[in-house]
Amino acid sequence: MLFTHDNAPTVRMTAAPARTRLDGVDMARGLAVLGMFVAHIGPAVINPTAGGAADFLAMLSNGHASILFATLAGVSLALLTGGDRLHQGLELRRDRVRIGVRAVILFVLGMAMTELGVPMMVILSFYALYFLLALPFLRVRPAVLLVVAAVWAVVGPVASFFLRTALSGETAGGALAFTDLTSLSTAGAGIQRLLLDGAYPVLTWMPFVFVGLAVGRLDLRSTAVRLRLLVSGVVLAVVGAGGSWLALNVFGGMRALQPVLEALRPIAEQMGKDPLDVLQMTGFGTAPTTTPAFLLINAPHSGTSFEIVASTGAALAVLAVCLFAGDHLGKLFAPLSAVGALALTVYVAQGVALKILMDSAGEALMAQPWLPLLGFALVSLVFCALWRPFLGRGPLERVMHWTSTKTSNALVRA
């Protein structure tokens, strides 16, 4: 259930008719997968001086893909528990167990991938914590969830900045591996990464899950709801990006960042970029603590309020467009929806494949920076388009569904 939702729960307490799967949600998740490919093995990653279309693609994907995943995770939690018809009683208790079991599986998978040394910032262990922390909020009304998300988006980054300043003053990044659990000190540092200073820390990422959970409680089949999502998304994106621009260029933020930008200038000149562009490419999940002015930027993996607002808006707009497209262009985009439905399998497979590829042919890829991205995307689209119509859930999705369903049925009896 990391990236996908189930159509029908094991036990239905009401006579409400079963609802078909929303192709638009899968389509949005499929776009997030392709965006993840761009962030992990795109031409701008293979060759930072590629420029042109490579930089534009990276600008669209970096940071946004993972935030779209996090927002859709909240949507999937809502859909798993009934969507706009929230499950009650026994059914909801079983849902909670299913979510908990899936969180455990994701946590272990995330540690395994990090231990393997895949060349990307693995999000699975963070997702596991998002799901567990969302459990007490499953019955909360959408309006309240949005208020919680808004407050968290403002307070979380500021609290993170001062906590990290007090603890170490450094930006750690990274995720959790099995070796982090071999001693109390490394385990403590690993937990701190998950909660505070890792690649996708809970303190600054929970607003995405809360927004997704609120959205999933709405009637996503309603045209009016979709239009509100689209308009709200565009407004939030403009407010987040525009607010950051004003804070930097009108209210003095750029002056405070000037020493940092000057230090980056030699590197920027070598890359043919502006120092601010280079600064915005160096995020590892949180804003550096050298100056509070870092909280004013809107950059991928910066963990600022401006990034949270702008990227949440982008995620909502993408979801709204995909919901419309899923209704009218479902067959045309069926391969993309299939990738979204098998997203966990694709995520793990691409991490392992990326590790093998970079270890065996990392330097050779410099000459063909677009080839890995095109290859990963094509293979994923073809594989998922062939798998889903005939076999349904993906391999890892089957494991998640079977294990969580069997466990919930055993632990929560009528």
Side-chain angles (χ1 to χ4, degrees), residues 37 53 80 97 103 119 151 178 248 274 293 323 342 355 369-370 412 414:
F37 289 168
L80 176 67
V97 174
V151 173
F178 287 118
L248 290 173
D274 184 89
L323 287 169
L342 275 69
K355 166 69 173 174
W370 285 89
V412 184

Side-chain angles (χ1 to χ4, degrees), residues 149-353:
V151 173
W152 200 309
V154 174
V155 175
V158 177
S160 170
F161 181 89
F162 288 107
L163 282 172
R164 288 181 292 110
T165 300
L167 289 173
S168 65
E170 298 180 358
T171 300
L176 187 71
F178 287 118
T179 50
D180 291 320
L181 305 181
T182 56
S183 70
L184 289 177
S185 60
T186 56
I191 293 172
Q192 181 174 315
R193 282 198 297 278
L194 293 175
L195 299 178
L196 181 63
D197 56 19
Y200 315 97
V202 166
L203 188 55
T204 49
W205 275 65
M206 281 306 294
F208 307 126
V209 182
F210 288 138
V211 169
L213 186 58
V215 168
R217 289 283 176 246
L218 306 176
D219 181 7
L220 295 179
R221 292 168 175 79
S222 165
T223 299
V225 169
R226 294 174 179 182
L227 288 174
R228 287 200 295 269
L229 285 179
L230 180 59
V231 172
S232 299
V234 172
V235 169
L236 286 173
V238 171
V239 168
S244 174
W245 186 90
L246 288 173
L248 290 173
N249 296 282
V250 176
F251 297 110
M254 198 69 77
R255 288 194 298 272
L257 288 174
Q258 203 59 43
V260 179
L261 297 176
E262 288 301 320
L264 288 174
R265 190 170 297 280
I267 300 175
E269 290 176 352
Q270 290 180 5
M271 298 175 63
K273 299 181 185 296
D274 184 89
L276 182 61
D277 293 334
V278 175
L279 176 64
Q280 293 175 334
M281 295 166 56
T282 58
F284 290 98
T286 54
T289 57
T290 48
T291 170
F294 276 111
L295 293 174
L296 304 179
I297 66 174
N298 168 37
H301 302 291
S302 60
T304 68
S305 297
F306 291 110
E307 186 203 11
I308 293 172
V309 173
S311 295
T312 297
L316 294 180
V318 168
L319 175 58
V321 171
C322 287
L323 287 169
F324 281 119
D327 286 349
H328 304 287
L329 301 171
K331 291 184 178 180
L332 178 64
F333 290 105
L336 181 62
S337 297
V339 171
L342 275 69
L344 177 58
T345 294
V346 174
Y347 183 89
V348 174
Q350 69 95 29
V352 175

